[in-house]
Amino acid sequence: QVQLVESGGGLVQPGGSLRLSCAASGSPFVFPIMGWYRQTPGKEREMVANIFSSGSTAYADSVKGRFTISRDNAKNTVYLQMNRFKPEDTAVYYCNARNTIIEGSGYWGQGTQVTVSS
């Protein structure tokens, strides 16, 4: 049974930094795509960043230049380094791991709250 366990959320000031981690267990293979999504109350979940097993990445326009996604294939773990936070980055962040390019498919973590506030 595949499980995704996230860590690293919390309260941060505008302009600050945080690093999220997500470890996938129970899978005998490396997921081709891993990524981070976020959701705020009343809104749909949105893609933040995706990374392929090759290392190619894709980012939402709202986080380009501020967030960096990376992965360790040997550990089936994905990271999200978040810098220069803005209040609108406040959300529950979810880790995703999947075998297809279909958004919303695959496995999801339990979510971790990130709150940007002074």
Side-chain angles (χ1 to χ4, degrees):
Q1 182 177 356
V2 174
Q3 285 189 317
L4 303 183
V5 179
E6 301 148 346
S7 61
L11 175 65
V12 63
Q13 293 185 341
S17 298
L18 277 178
R19 188 192 195 209
L20 302 181
S21 300
C22 172
S25 62
S27 172
F29 52 84
V30 173
F31 287 101
I33 304 172
M34 299 186 79
W36 292 94
Y37 293 72
R38 65 187 182 187
Q39 189 170 22
T40 55
K43 293 188 176 181
E44 291 188 357
R45 192 173 298 185
E46 64 173 1
M47 188 273 286
V48 176
N50 280 326
I51 185 167
F52 294 79
S53 55
S54 64
S56 297
T57 58
Y59 294 93
D61 288 342
S62 58
V63 305
K64 280 181 182 176
R66 299 188 299 120
F67 292 8
T68 302
I69 190 171
S70 60
R71 64 186 291 170
D72 184 335
N73 289 336
K75 297 180 180 179
N76 233 354
T77 298
V78 63
Y79 307 95
L80 185 68
Q81 178 65 44
M82 303 181 288
N83 301 324
R84 303 199 330 256
F85 268 117
K86 302 176 181 180
E88 53 264 39
D89 293 321
T90 295
V92 177
Y93 284 71
Y94 295 90
C95 173
N96 172 258
R98 62 188 192 271
N99 300 313
T100 77
I101 62 172
I102 300 173
E103 294 281 354
S105 67
Y107 302 93
W108 292 91
Q110 78 282 4
T112 185
Q113 178 71 46
V114 173
T115 301
V116 184
S117 176
S118 55

